[in-house]
């Protein structure tokens, strides 16, 4: 999973179906949107990660995501299939993210990701999240959650 720090370790020019399989496993098995545990070998080291809040370098995305969320209390769900071609990988997601702060609030985010590939290397050079709701609306989902009954 996380690794492949230098160019020699990169998986260059993968067929689209193989790249889709890797991204699917990163999303479903490793929950990478909440954990930043992904197959680094398919990403260019200069890749930029953009969500509805900001843009991050690859190392900052890994550091920030892994510190921001509680892995065992977050859940990322794939909606539909991961679609890929020689230009991009696209998937839709539905996730509950538990913040690693006091009270551990959970927000729900739905949307899609578009991962753009470099034409010469086939590596992912751009990660872009599009949310179905504004960041403010997403934050409000932390306060409108059903309460769990006390045991």
């Amino acid at each position: 999973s996380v690794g492949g720090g230098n160019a020699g370790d990169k998986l260059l020019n993968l067929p689209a179906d193989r790249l889709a399989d890797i991204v699917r496993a990163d999303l479903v098995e490793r929950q990478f949107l909440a954990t930043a545990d992904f197959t680094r070998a398919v990403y260019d080291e200069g890749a930029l990660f953009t969500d509805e809040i900001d843009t991050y370098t690859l190392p900052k995305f890994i550091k920030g995501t892994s510190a921001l969320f509680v892995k065992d209390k977050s859940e990322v769900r794939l909606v539909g299939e991961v679609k890929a071609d020689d230009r991009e990988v696209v998937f839709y997601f539905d996730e509950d993210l538990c913040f690693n702060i006091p009270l551990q609030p959970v927000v729900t985010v739905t949307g899609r990701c578009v991962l753009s590939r470099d034409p010469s290397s086939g590596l992912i050079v751009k990660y872009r999240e599009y949310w179905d709701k504004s960041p403010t609306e997403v934050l409000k989902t932390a306060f409108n959650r059903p309460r769990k009954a006390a045991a």
Side-chain angles (χ1 to χ4, degrees), residues 4 11 17 22 24 39 57 59 71 84 87 94 98 125 132 137 144 147:
L11 297 172
D17 59 340
I22 290 169
R24 183 182 303 105
T39 306
T57 61
K71 181 164 104 173
R87 294 179 304 109
D94 176 357
C98 178
V125 291
D132 293 334
E137 291 171 312
N144 299 325
R147 297 266 178 235

Short mmCIF file of all heavy atoms in Angstrom, two decimals, residues 4 11 17 22 24 39 57 59 71 84 87 94 98 125 132 137 144 147:
data_model
loop_
_atom_site.label_atom_id
_atom_site.label_comp_id
_atom_site.label_asym_id
_atom_site.label_seq_id
_atom_site.Cartn_x
_atom_site.Cartn_y
_atom_site.Cartn_z
N GLY A 4 6.47 3.06 -2.42
CA GLY A 4 6.81 3.40 -3.79
C GLY A 4 7.24 4.84 -3.91
O GLY A 4 6.76 5.56 -4.77
N LEU A 11 4.39 2.03 -11.04
CA LEU A 11 3.74 1.12 -11.98
C LEU A 11 3.30 1.95 -13.19
O LEU A 11 2.22 2.53 -13.20
CB LEU A 11 2.55 0.43 -11.32
CG LEU A 11 2.89 -0.46 -10.13
CD1 LEU A 11 1.62 -0.94 -9.42
CD2 LEU A 11 3.74 -1.65 -10.57
N ASP A 17 -8.07 -1.22 -16.88
CA ASP A 17 -8.79 -2.13 -16.00
C ASP A 17 -7.95 -2.52 -14.78
O ASP A 17 -8.47 -2.66 -13.67
CB ASP A 17 -9.29 -3.38 -16.75
CG ASP A 17 -8.17 -4.18 -17.39
OD1 ASP A 17 -7.06 -3.65 -17.61
OD2 ASP A 17 -8.41 -5.37 -17.69
N ILE A 22 -6.87 -1.56 -8.80
CA ILE A 22 -6.03 -1.06 -7.71
C ILE A 22 -6.77 0.04 -6.94
O ILE A 22 -6.80 0.03 -5.70
CB ILE A 22 -4.68 -0.54 -8.26
CG1 ILE A 22 -3.84 -1.73 -8.74
CG2 ILE A 22 -3.93 0.28 -7.21
CD1 ILE A 22 -2.60 -1.34 -9.53
N ARG A 24 -9.99 0.52 -6.79
CA ARG A 24 -11.12 -0.10 -6.09
C ARG A 24 -10.65 -0.73 -4.78
O ARG A 24 -11.28 -0.55 -3.74
CB ARG A 24 -11.78 -1.16 -6.98
CG ARG A 24 -13.02 -1.80 -6.35
CD ARG A 24 -13.65 -2.88 -7.24
NE ARG A 24 -14.01 -2.37 -8.55
CZ ARG A 24 -13.34 -2.61 -9.69
NH1 ARG A 24 -12.27 -3.40 -9.67
NH2 ARG A 24 -13.72 -2.10 -10.82
N THR A 39 -2.17 2.79 -2.86
CA THR A 39 -1.05 2.28 -3.65
C THR A 39 -0.31 3.45 -4.27
O THR A 39 -0.66 3.93 -5.35
CB THR A 39 -1.57 1.31 -4.73
OG1 THR A 39 -2.36 0.30 -4.10
CG2 THR A 39 -0.42 0.64 -5.47
N THR A 57 -0.22 18.57 -1.50
CA THR A 57 0.77 17.71 -2.16
C THR A 57 0.55 16.29 -1.68
O THR A 57 -0.15 16.06 -0.68
CB THR A 57 2.20 18.15 -1.78
OG1 THR A 57 2.35 18.01 -0.37
CG2 THR A 57 2.49 19.59 -2.22
N PRO A 59 2.59 14.13 -0.06
CA PRO A 59 2.96 13.89 1.35
C PRO A 59 2.01 14.57 2.34
O PRO A 59 1.69 13.99 3.38
CB PRO A 59 4.38 14.48 1.47
CG PRO A 59 4.89 14.60 0.07
CD PRO A 59 3.69 14.76 -0.82
N LYS A 71 -9.70 6.04 12.00
CA LYS A 71 -9.84 4.96 11.02
C LYS A 71 -10.95 3.98 11.38
O LYS A 71 -11.76 3.62 10.54
CB LYS A 71 -8.48 4.25 10.92
CG LYS A 71 -8.43 3.13 9.95
CD LYS A 71 -6.99 2.76 9.63
CE LYS A 71 -6.58 1.50 10.33
NZ LYS A 71 -5.25 1.04 9.93
N ALA A 84 -12.35 3.49 -15.54
CA ALA A 84 -11.04 4.01 -15.92
C ALA A 84 -10.82 3.90 -17.41
O ALA A 84 -11.37 3.02 -18.07
CB ALA A 84 -9.95 3.23 -15.19
N ARG A 87 -7.08 8.20 -19.80
CA ARG A 87 -7.00 9.59 -19.36
C ARG A 87 -7.31 9.80 -17.89
O ARG A 87 -6.75 10.69 -17.25
CB ARG A 87 -7.96 10.48 -20.18
CG ARG A 87 -7.58 10.60 -21.66
CD ARG A 87 -8.56 11.47 -22.44
NE ARG A 87 -9.94 10.98 -22.31
CZ ARG A 87 -10.91 11.60 -21.63
NH1 ARG A 87 -10.68 12.74 -21.02
NH2 ARG A 87 -12.12 11.08 -21.56
N ASP A 94 -19.59 7.43 -0.87
CA ASP A 94 -20.50 7.81 0.21
C ASP A 94 -19.73 7.44 1.47
O ASP A 94 -19.44 6.26 1.70
CB ASP A 94 -21.80 7.01 0.09
CG ASP A 94 -22.76 7.26 1.24
OD1 ASP A 94 -22.44 8.00 2.18
OD2 ASP A 94 -23.87 6.67 1.20
N CYS A 98 -15.08 10.19 10.74
CA CYS A 98 -15.02 10.52 12.16
C CYS A 98 -13.75 11.33 12.41
O CYS A 98 -12.64 10.83 12.19
CB CYS A 98 -15.01 9.24 13.00
SG CYS A 98 -14.87 9.57 14.77
N VAL A 125 -1.75 12.02 -11.75
CA VAL A 125 -1.08 13.29 -11.45
C VAL A 125 -2.00 14.28 -10.76
O VAL A 125 -1.54 15.28 -10.20
CB VAL A 125 -0.47 13.94 -12.72
CG1 VAL A 125 0.70 13.11 -13.23
CG2 VAL A 125 -1.52 14.12 -13.80
N ASP A 132 -21.15 16.54 -3.13
CA ASP A 132 -22.54 16.85 -3.50
C ASP A 132 -23.08 18.02 -2.69
O ASP A 132 -24.06 18.65 -3.08
CB ASP A 132 -23.43 15.63 -3.29
CG ASP A 132 -23.08 14.50 -4.26
OD1 ASP A 132 -22.54 14.78 -5.35
OD2 ASP A 132 -23.34 13.33 -3.93
N GLU A 137 -22.52 22.62 4.58
CA GLU A 137 -23.60 21.62 4.68
C GLU A 137 -23.06 20.29 5.19
O GLU A 137 -23.72 19.60 5.97
CB GLU A 137 -24.27 21.41 3.32
CG GLU A 137 -25.08 22.59 2.84
CD GLU A 137 -25.54 22.42 1.39
OE1 GLU A 137 -24.72 22.07 0.52
OE2 GLU A 137 -26.73 22.63 1.14
N ASN A 144 -26.72 16.48 12.97
CA ASN A 144 -28.05 15.96 12.66
C ASN A 144 -28.06 14.44 12.57
O ASN A 144 -28.79 13.86 11.81
CB ASN A 144 -28.55 16.54 11.32
CG ASN A 144 -28.66 18.04 11.36
OD1 ASN A 144 -28.99 18.60 12.39
ND2 ASN A 144 -28.35 18.69 10.25
N ARG A 147 -29.18 9.70 17.35
CA ARG A 147 -28.49 9.34 18.62
C ARG A 147 -28.58 7.84 18.84
O ARG A 147 -29.63 7.26 18.64
CB ARG A 147 -29.13 10.08 19.78
CG ARG A 147 -29.01 11.58 19.68
CD ARG A 147 -27.80 12.06 20.45
NE ARG A 147 -27.65 13.49 20.30
CZ ARG A 147 -26.55 14.07 19.87
NH1 ARG A 147 -25.51 13.34 19.55
NH2 ARG A 147 -26.47 15.37 19.77
#
